Amino acid sequence: MPRNSLTAHYGAVLARLFESSPLRNRAYRLFYFGSVGTAIGYTMQATIAAWLMTTLTPSEFMVALVQTASTAPTLLFGLIAGALADIIDRRRLVLVTQIGLLAATLLLGIATLVGVVGPASLLMLTFVVGAAFTFYLPAQQASINELVTRAELPRAVALSAVAFNVARALGPALAGAVIAWLGSGSALVASALFFVIMILAIRKQRGRGIAVPGVPEQLLSGVMSGVRYARHSPAMRSFIVRNLSFAVCASALWALLPVIARDELGLGAGGYGLLSAGFGAGAVAGALWLPGHLQHRTLNVVTLYGVALWTVALLLVAVTSYTAVALVGVLGCGMAWVSVFASLSAGTQSTAPAWVRARAVSMNLVAVQASLAIGSALWGALASAVGVRISLAASAGALVLLHLIHRRVVVEMGKEADVMPRAQLPELTITGEPLPDDGPVLIQIVYRDLGEDDRYVERYVIASWAEYVRLRSRMTMADSRLQERVEKLQRSGVPIRVARLIGVDMASAETQSENAP
């Protein structure tokens, strides 16, 4: 059979196999399997690095710092990563990050095989891997929208959650097996090869145009507009608060799991990999359980169940000296982890408009990873002072306390109709089109007659004309309905007046006036 006919034949077989799944789309299927490869490689590297540190130093604090080195880059670069994913070609960004992940992990593996790796170099290269993954994740998640139809998007997002959590189960198990068989250096080299899958998959994808309409957005303005969105969106603030309060406490388990395996349970690398795989298996179970429960219960209730399950399961890990009981505990923690984080992630993506979706994802990541980085160091230091078991119990108590404090912070799914862009915008009535960099722009809207005591005047300043044009193009149906509600407050027969004023360089204006005929 000719090669083209063979390819078409297997393509048709796969299409029938995934008939009701977004995986029937070849472009999404390749991207999906590449995402699975990246997730496995990343979780393997994190697992191996944590175990490798236990062989280099007995310090619980240094072991916990591996988690900090892996997650701190999101705190430093997360907002920039989200803005980049909304501004530049996501395909190119994903490709560059995969090359970075491959190079850093391979270098760490070779250094370990040669015997020149130390605690400092391990933390440094783990930081580089974390930085590359930070720039990769918003671009990867935002790319899903471009590969599937709107109707398939919920299932595609669910598949993405399952993929990462399957990797969370497989990655640590593979890492533990390879460490026990060939050693940490060879395990790191093996984990690096998984990044090649996405490199091959993304090379077959076509690049896309700039995500932001109008004049291309600059990086700094993109970051600032994302921060403004989070600041003024009550829904986004609620998601960030919930992510922060859960992650800072949940970080205790990930930071101290190698020490739990080594000191509290007396296990080796294989046992540590077994516990990590148990957590991943629980995460997969949680990912499969979640969609049905979100259909019958509110997002707020689902996250509450997750918090309760995590607390009970973590206390079980804290008090037991039996591996089987600890395995049940980490299984429950895995289910709770996905129940909380995947729910909050789905809520964020459903609430954020398309123009800021990657930035919303990155702000979620910043909240989670910053909490993981800070919490890992905090619980590691506490474990060094008072012991691992007390540190785990304290983190569980802190989670309950924070949830009680934030009990009035409600999270809920957004409606697609609210975040859809407005179909048509009114034409601007202006005498001349300013240049993109002209500004600042002062917008003044009068909603009441100036002769009335109860008049309302809205004024706001935007950095440039290009930013103002982008702002108008980002109006959603929810924004439009809010504007219509405000317009109903206008006095009958008195038109709404909108003034758009451009800042002028007085020196240039005077020069032009003098040179005018």
Side-chain angles (χ1 to χ4, degrees):
M1 183 179 294
R3 181 177 178 181
N4 290 341
S5 300
L6 190 64
T7 302
H9 171 72
Y10 284 117
V13 171
L14 287 171
R16 289 195 298 271
L17 181 63
F18 300 120
E19 185 174 358
S20 61
S21 168
L23 290 172
R24 70 178 183 275
N25 183 312
R26 183 175 183 272
Y28 174 72
R29 187 167 64 246
L30 290 174
F31 188 80
Y32 180 77
F33 289 130
S35 301
V36 173
T38 299
I40 291 176
Y42 179 71
T43 54
M44 282 185 68
Q45 190 278 335
T47 303
I48 298 163
W51 182 256
L52 182 58
M53 185 62 83
T54 66
T55 67
L56 297 175
T57 175
S59 170
E60 291 90 349
F61 180 66
M62 290 299 293
V63 174
L65 280 183
V66 174
Q67 176 77 3
T68 301
S70 180
T71 55
T74 303
L75 175 62
L76 299 175
F77 311 124
L79 296 180
I80 297 174
L84 275 178
D86 277 333
I87 293 172
I88 69 172
D89 184 353
R90 291 184 186 133
R91 171 187 171 277
R92 183 174 300 176
L93 183 57
V94 170
L95 183 60
V96 169
T97 57
Q98 296 306 294
I99 294 172
L101 287 165
L102 173 63
T105 306
L106 194 59
L107 180 59
L108 181 59
I110 293 173
T112 304
L113 288 172
V114 175
V116 297
V117 70
S121 58
L122 174 59
L123 290 175
M124 181 186 69
L125 287 171
T126 298
F127 181 88
V128 172
V129 170
F133 196 76
T134 294
F135 281 91
Y136 156 76
L137 205 52
Q140 182 265 337
Q141 293 192 18
S143 295
I144 295 175
N145 295 42
E146 303 164 10
L147 299 173
V148 298
T149 65
R150 184 175 295 276
E152 293 174 325
L153 185 59
R155 282 176 291 173
V157 172
L159 278 172
S160 181
V162 171
F164 188 79
N165 289 292
V166 167
R168 192 178 287 280
L170 292 178
L174 285 173
V178 179
I179 291 172
W181 180 30
L182 298 174
S184 298
S186 297
L188 285 166
V189 172
S191 68
L193 298 179
F194 280 94
F195 300 121
V196 176
I197 301 175
M198 179 59 93
I199 293 175
L200 296 176
I202 202 68
R203 287 184 61 195
K204 298 181 180 296
Q205 303 273 341
R206 286 186 177 183
R208 62 152 178 84
I210 296 172
V212 181
V215 180
E217 193 167 17
Q218 299 300 311
L219 183 58
L220 180 59
S221 65
V223 171
M224 295 306 297
S225 62
V227 172
R228 277 198 305 272
Y229 171 79
R231 177 186 174 188
H232 294 291
S233 169
M236 190 66 190
R237 291 199 303 269
S238 297
F239 287 118
I240 290 175
V241 167
R242 285 297 186 89
N243 273 307
L244 285 170
S245 59
F246 183 77
V248 74
C249 300
S251 62
L253 179 64
W254 275 117
L256 298 173
L257 193 59
V259 182
I260 294 169
R262 185 190 66 186
D263 297 343
E264 306 301 326
L265 300 176
L267 303 174
Y272 169 54
L274 178 65
L275 290 179
S276 299
F279 183 97
V284 172
L288 296 174
W289 168 87
L290 186 62
H293 282 265
L294 281 176
Q295 289 181 350
H296 300 96
R297 294 178 175 83
T298 66
L299 185 63
N300 212 54
V301 170
V302 172
T303 55
L304 174 60
Y305 285 171
V307 168
L309 177 59
W310 178 275
T311 303
V312 173
L314 187 63
L315 287 174
L316 189 62
V317 175
V319 301
T320 189
S321 299
Y322 298 97
T323 301
V325 177
L327 193 58
V328 173
V330 295
L331 188 76
C333 285
M335 291 186 66
W337 180 279
V338 161
S339 298
V340 175
F341 283 136
S343 298
L344 294 177
S345 177
T348 300
Q349 293 191 50
S350 69
T351 302
W355 68 267
V356 76
R357 190 163 289 145
R359 275 166 278 195
V361 168
S362 71
M363 282 181 279
N364 241 344
L365 293 173
V366 168
V368 171
Q369 301 290 41
S371 299
L372 291 176
I374 296 170
S376 295
L378 172 66
W379 303 119
L382 184 62
S384 296
V386 300
V388 172
R389 297 185 186 278
I390 294 178
S391 182
L392 290 176
S395 72
L399 178 59
V400 174
L401 179 61
L402 286 175
H403 187 77
L404 291 175
I405 292 173
H406 297 141
R407 64 186 181 277
R408 295 185 179 179
V409 178
V410 178
V411 290
E412 56 186 4
M413 297 291 287
K415 298 178 180 178
E416 184 63 31
D418 291 334
V419 300
M420 288 177 62
R422 179 169 171 171
Q424 188 173 3
L425 293 170
E427 293 292 333
L428 288 174
T429 304
I430 54 179
T431 57
E433 182 74 18
L435 295 175
D437 293 332
D438 284 351
V441 182
L442 171 65
I443 310 299
Q444 177 171 294
I445 306 175
V446 183
Y447 288 105
R448 292 288 188 182
D449 188 278
L450 292 176
E452 299 287 341
D453 292 336
D454 58 349
R455 74 182 187 275
Y456 294 91
V457 178
E458 179 183 10
R459 294 177 180 174
Y460 56 95
V461 177
I462 300 176
S464 67
W465 181 253
E467 182 68 20
Y468 175 63
V469 172
R470 283 192 293 267
L471 180 66
R472 294 184 78 249
S473 68
R474 292 166 176 169
M475 179 176 287
T476 64
M477 294 303 298
D479 297 329
S480 181
R481 287 195 296 269
L482 179 60
Q483 183 172 302
E484 290 171 0
R485 287 174 56 194
V486 174
E487 289 174 353
K488 291 179 180 179
L489 301 175
Q490 176 69 9
R491 185 174 179 177
S492 178
V494 179
I496 296 175
R497 299 187 295 273
V498 180
R500 301 174 181 87
L501 310 176
I502 281 280
V504 177
D505 185 341
M506 294 304 298
S508 298
E510 290 176 359
T511 301
Q512 291 176 4
S513 178
E514 292 173 357
N515 294 335

PDB file of all heavy atoms in Angstrom, residues 8 75 83 103 110 182 193 201 214 218 265 273 275 292 303 354 369 428:
ATOM      1  N   ALA A   8      -3.656   7.770   5.073  1.00  0.00           N
ATOM      2  CA  ALA A   8      -5.085   8.066   5.042  1.00  0.00           C
ATOM      3  C   ALA A   8      -5.886   6.961   5.732  1.00  0.00           C
ATOM      4  O   ALA A   8      -6.873   7.229   6.439  1.00  0.00           O
ATOM      5  CB  ALA A   8      -5.551   8.245   3.600  1.00  0.00           C
ATOM      6  N   LEU A  75       6.357  32.539  39.935  1.00  0.00           N
ATOM      7  CA  LEU A  75       6.191  33.792  40.667  1.00  0.00           C
ATOM      8  C   LEU A  75       6.915  34.930  39.958  1.00  0.00           C
ATOM      9  O   LEU A  75       6.419  36.053  39.879  1.00  0.00           O
ATOM     10  CB  LEU A  75       6.723  33.626  42.090  1.00  0.00           C
ATOM     11  CG  LEU A  75       6.752  34.870  42.971  1.00  0.00           C
ATOM     12  CD1 LEU A  75       5.352  35.417  43.179  1.00  0.00           C
ATOM     13  CD2 LEU A  75       7.406  34.557  44.314  1.00  0.00           C
ATOM     14  N   ALA A  83       1.321  37.077  29.170  1.00  0.00           N
ATOM     15  CA  ALA A  83       1.241  38.153  28.174  1.00  0.00           C
ATOM     16  C   ALA A  83       1.863  37.708  26.852  1.00  0.00           C
ATOM     17  O   ALA A  83       1.314  37.978  25.778  1.00  0.00           O
ATOM     18  CB  ALA A  83       1.946  39.401  28.706  1.00  0.00           C
ATOM     19  N   ALA A 103      17.196  20.692  26.992  1.00  0.00           N
ATOM     20  CA  ALA A 103      18.604  21.006  27.233  1.00  0.00           C
ATOM     21  C   ALA A 103      18.931  21.012  28.725  1.00  0.00           C
ATOM     22  O   ALA A 103      19.953  20.434  29.152  1.00  0.00           O
ATOM     23  CB  ALA A 103      18.944  22.361  26.608  1.00  0.00           C
ATOM     24  N   ILE A 110      23.513  14.537  32.623  1.00  0.00           N
ATOM     25  CA  ILE A 110      24.930  14.278  32.312  1.00  0.00           C
ATOM     26  C   ILE A 110      25.804  14.647  33.500  1.00  0.00           C
ATOM     27  O   ILE A 110      26.754  13.919  33.857  1.00  0.00           O
ATOM     28  CB  ILE A 110      25.335  15.062  31.057  1.00  0.00           C
ATOM     29  CG1 ILE A 110      24.590  14.512  29.831  1.00  0.00           C
ATOM     30  CG2 ILE A 110      26.843  14.995  30.840  1.00  0.00           C
ATOM     31  CD1 ILE A 110      24.780  15.328  28.570  1.00  0.00           C
ATOM     32  N   LEU A 182      18.747   2.105  37.095  1.00  0.00           N
ATOM     33  CA  LEU A 182      19.936   2.660  36.457  1.00  0.00           C
ATOM     34  C   LEU A 182      20.563   3.839  37.203  1.00  0.00           C
ATOM     35  O   LEU A 182      21.661   4.252  36.848  1.00  0.00           O
ATOM     36  CB  LEU A 182      19.590   3.118  35.028  1.00  0.00           C
ATOM     37  CG  LEU A 182      19.115   2.020  34.066  1.00  0.00           C
ATOM     38  CD1 LEU A 182      18.673   2.645  32.752  1.00  0.00           C
ATOM     39  CD2 LEU A 182      20.222   0.993  33.844  1.00  0.00           C
ATOM     40  N   LEU A 193      14.094  12.895  27.237  1.00  0.00           N
ATOM     41  CA  LEU A 193      13.645  12.428  25.921  1.00  0.00           C
ATOM     42  C   LEU A 193      12.155  12.627  25.706  1.00  0.00           C
ATOM     43  O   LEU A 193      11.688  12.709  24.567  1.00  0.00           O
ATOM     44  CB  LEU A 193      14.010  10.947  25.757  1.00  0.00           C
ATOM     45  CG  LEU A 193      15.510  10.626  25.804  1.00  0.00           C
ATOM     46  CD1 LEU A 193      15.750   9.129  25.657  1.00  0.00           C
ATOM     47  CD2 LEU A 193      16.261  11.399  24.727  1.00  0.00           C
ATOM     48  N   ALA A 201       5.714  17.108  17.484  1.00  0.00           N
ATOM     49  CA  ALA A 201       4.297  17.401  17.237  1.00  0.00           C
ATOM     50  C   ALA A 201       4.092  18.851  16.819  1.00  0.00           C
ATOM     51  O   ALA A 201       3.341  19.139  15.888  1.00  0.00           O
ATOM     52  CB  ALA A 201       3.485  17.091  18.496  1.00  0.00           C
ATOM     53  N   GLY A 214      -5.980  44.529  16.235  1.00  0.00           N
ATOM     54  CA  GLY A 214      -5.514  45.908  16.166  1.00  0.00           C
ATOM     55  C   GLY A 214      -4.000  45.982  16.178  1.00  0.00           C
ATOM     56  O   GLY A 214      -3.291  45.075  15.740  1.00  0.00           O
ATOM     57  N   GLN A 218       2.390  45.601  23.252  1.00  0.00           N
ATOM     58  CA  GLN A 218       3.729  45.473  23.795  1.00  0.00           C
ATOM     59  C   GLN A 218       3.689  44.633  25.067  1.00  0.00           C
ATOM     60  O   GLN A 218       2.658  44.535  25.737  1.00  0.00           O
ATOM     61  CB  GLN A 218       4.322  46.849  24.088  1.00  0.00           C
ATOM     62  CG  GLN A 218       4.447  47.740  22.864  1.00  0.00           C
ATOM     63  CD  GLN A 218       5.344  47.140  21.791  1.00  0.00           C
ATOM     64  OE1 GLN A 218       6.453  46.697  22.068  1.00  0.00           O
ATOM     65  NE2 GLN A 218       4.857  47.121  20.564  1.00  0.00           N
ATOM     66  N   LEU A 265       8.816   6.398  56.832  1.00  0.00           N
ATOM     67  CA  LEU A 265       8.378   5.085  56.370  1.00  0.00           C
ATOM     68  C   LEU A 265       9.536   4.141  56.058  1.00  0.00           C
ATOM     69  O   LEU A 265       9.311   2.953  55.815  1.00  0.00           O
ATOM     70  CB  LEU A 265       7.485   5.232  55.133  1.00  0.00           C
ATOM     71  CG  LEU A 265       6.205   6.061  55.315  1.00  0.00           C
ATOM     72  CD1 LEU A 265       5.475   6.216  53.994  1.00  0.00           C
ATOM     73  CD2 LEU A 265       5.288   5.439  56.358  1.00  0.00           C
ATOM     74  N   GLY A 273       8.783   6.611  44.742  1.00  0.00           N
ATOM     75  CA  GLY A 273       8.063   6.614  43.467  1.00  0.00           C
ATOM     76  C   GLY A 273       6.668   6.028  43.605  1.00  0.00           C
ATOM     77  O   GLY A 273       5.716   6.507  42.978  1.00  0.00           O
ATOM     78  N   LEU A 275       4.712   6.161  46.329  1.00  0.00           N
ATOM     79  CA  LEU A 275       3.863   7.173  46.957  1.00  0.00           C
ATOM     80  C   LEU A 275       3.474   8.260  45.952  1.00  0.00           C
ATOM     81  O   LEU A 275       2.321   8.698  45.912  1.00  0.00           O
ATOM     82  CB  LEU A 275       4.586   7.795  48.153  1.00  0.00           C
ATOM     83  CG  LEU A 275       4.790   6.903  49.386  1.00  0.00           C
ATOM     84  CD1 LEU A 275       5.551   7.662  50.461  1.00  0.00           C
ATOM     85  CD2 LEU A 275       3.450   6.417  49.933  1.00  0.00           C
ATOM     86  N   GLY A 292     -18.644  15.018  36.099  1.00  0.00           N
ATOM     87  CA  GLY A 292     -20.009  14.679  36.473  1.00  0.00           C
ATOM     88  C   GLY A 292     -20.488  15.455  37.684  1.00  0.00           C
ATOM     89  O   GLY A 292     -21.648  15.899  37.740  1.00  0.00           O
ATOM     90  N   THR A 303     -15.270  22.476  45.377  1.00  0.00           N
ATOM     91  CA  THR A 303     -14.000  22.863  46.001  1.00  0.00           C
ATOM     92  C   THR A 303     -14.040  22.641  47.513  1.00  0.00           C
ATOM     93  O   THR A 303     -13.024  22.285  48.116  1.00  0.00           O
ATOM     94  CB  THR A 303     -13.670  24.332  45.700  1.00  0.00           C
ATOM     95  OG1 THR A 303     -14.765  25.172  46.100  1.00  0.00           O
ATOM     96  CG2 THR A 303     -13.401  24.531  44.221  1.00  0.00           C
ATOM     97  N   ALA A 354     -11.725  35.937  25.849  1.00  0.00           N
ATOM     98  CA  ALA A 354     -10.677  35.342  25.014  1.00  0.00           C
ATOM     99  C   ALA A 354      -9.414  36.177  24.984  1.00  0.00           C
ATOM    100  O   ALA A 354      -8.303  35.630  24.976  1.00  0.00           O
ATOM    101  CB  ALA A 354     -11.206  35.138  23.594  1.00  0.00           C
ATOM    102  N   GLN A 369       1.708  28.630  42.119  1.00  0.00           N
ATOM    103  CA  GLN A 369       3.124  28.308  42.233  1.00  0.00           C
ATOM    104  C   GLN A 369       3.841  29.192  43.240  1.00  0.00           C
ATOM    105  O   GLN A 369       4.778  28.754  43.907  1.00  0.00           O
ATOM    106  CB  GLN A 369       3.795  28.413  40.852  1.00  0.00           C
ATOM    107  CG  GLN A 369       3.201  27.491  39.800  1.00  0.00           C
ATOM    108  CD  GLN A 369       3.510  26.030  40.050  1.00  0.00           C
ATOM    109  OE1 GLN A 369       3.472  25.558  41.184  1.00  0.00           O
ATOM    110  NE2 GLN A 369       3.813  25.300  38.990  1.00  0.00           N
ATOM    111  N   LEU A 428     -16.304  55.328  15.714  1.00  0.00           N
ATOM    112  CA  LEU A 428     -15.756  56.493  16.400  1.00  0.00           C
ATOM    113  C   LEU A 428     -15.979  57.740  15.548  1.00  0.00           C
ATOM    114  O   LEU A 428     -15.674  57.745  14.348  1.00  0.00           O
ATOM    115  CB  LEU A 428     -14.256  56.308  16.654  1.00  0.00           C
ATOM    116  CG  LEU A 428     -13.857  55.295  17.736  1.00  0.00           C
ATOM    117  CD1 LEU A 428     -12.342  55.142  17.756  1.00  0.00           C
ATOM    118  CD2 LEU A 428     -14.367  55.713  19.090  1.00  0.00           C
TER     119      LEU A 428
END
